Each structure stands twice: as C-alpha cells, then as structure tokens.
C-alpha cells in the first residue's frame, strides 16, 4: 500500500480525517487523469489536491481504509459538472468504443 498522497491542510473541516493509504493502482489512475485532463499548469496542484480529497472522501463513504481505483473514479465523478458526469457514465456503459470517443472529445477542450 502506498501512502504518498497525504493531505495537509491548515484548517481541517469536519469531513477531513487522517489521510488514507492508497493501493498501488489508485495513484497511477490519478496520474493518468491529471495527464489526460485539460488542466492549466497553474491549477494542476490545486486540482490534484481536490481529486485526492474527493477520492479519500469516496473511500471513507464506502467504508474503505484504503483508497482504491474505484474510489478514485467515484471521487472524480463527484467533482465533475452534472452534464460531464452524465457523458462519462454513458461512455462507461457504452464500452471501450464510447470511452475512446469521450477521450477524443476531452482532447478537443485543450
């Protein structure tokens, strides 16, 4: 288990507990998401923190003591606007071809 994604905040909120350990696949998924998303360089650190927190919150909600790739996906989806979340969910249900189309659409936003 990896614990490299420890969240540090000056003012923890009621939802924040100690950072969770991450399994081996979850950090790889976060890195892939960060590379593929059209995020301006100045915002990458903030977005990484937000996604890390969202994944840890999803893990806690699911009762997990370790963040999994599934928790990361749930955290990512929770951060998306409703219309984009619907597109992602539709693409996932549609299979690999639909995911490739979604990837092309996302690259057009860069």
């Amino acid at each position: 288990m990896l614990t490299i994604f420890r969240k540090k905040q000056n003012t923890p909120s009621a939802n924040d507990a100690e950072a969770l350990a991450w399994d081996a696949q979850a950090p790889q998924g976060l890195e892939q998401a960060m590379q593929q998303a059209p995020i301006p360089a100045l915002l990458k650190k903030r977005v990484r923190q937000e996604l890390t927190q969202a994944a840890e919150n999803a893990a806690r909600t699911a009762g997990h003591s370790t963040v999994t790739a599934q928790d990361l996906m749930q955290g990512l989806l929770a951060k998306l606007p409703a219309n984009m979340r619907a597109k992602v969910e539709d693409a996932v249900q549609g299979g690999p071809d639909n995911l490739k189309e979604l990837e092309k659409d996302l690259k057009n936003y860069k």
Side-chain angles (χ1 to χ4, degrees):
M1 285 188 219
L2 298 177
T3 57
I4 59 174
F5 290 97
R6 293 252 179 228
K7 181 176 43 164
K8 306 235 188 246
Q9 281 188 331
N10 295 334
T11 55
S13 70
N15 292 336
D16 293 335
E18 278 194 40
L20 298 176
W22 286 51
D23 73 13
Q25 294 171 337
Q28 294 170 356
L30 179 59
E31 289 307 313
Q32 183 177 2
M34 292 297 297
Q35 290 174 4
Q36 291 178 347
I39 304 168
L42 292 173
L43 296 177
K44 284 195 183 255
K45 182 177 178 182
R46 175 71 178 164
V47 169
R48 181 183 305 280
Q49 289 172 339
E50 290 283 332
L51 295 179
T52 298
Q53 183 177 14
E56 290 183 0
N57 288 342
R60 285 187 190 93
T61 299
H64 300 156
S65 60
T66 302
V67 178
T68 65
Q70 181 68 26
D71 297 322
L72 175 64
M73 179 56 80
Q74 291 302 315
L76 289 169
L77 287 173
K79 288 297 192 179
L80 290 176
N83 64 335
M84 181 56 79
R85 186 177 325 124
K87 283 184 177 185
V88 171
E89 290 170 346
D90 289 346
V92 168
Q93 290 177 356
D97 289 338
N98 286 13
L99 288 171
K100 290 284 186 191
E101 269 312 302
L102 178 62
E103 185 177 356
K104 287 178 190 175
D105 288 345
L106 290 175
K107 285 183 180 180
N108 289 333
Y109 289 119
K110 286 187 178 181

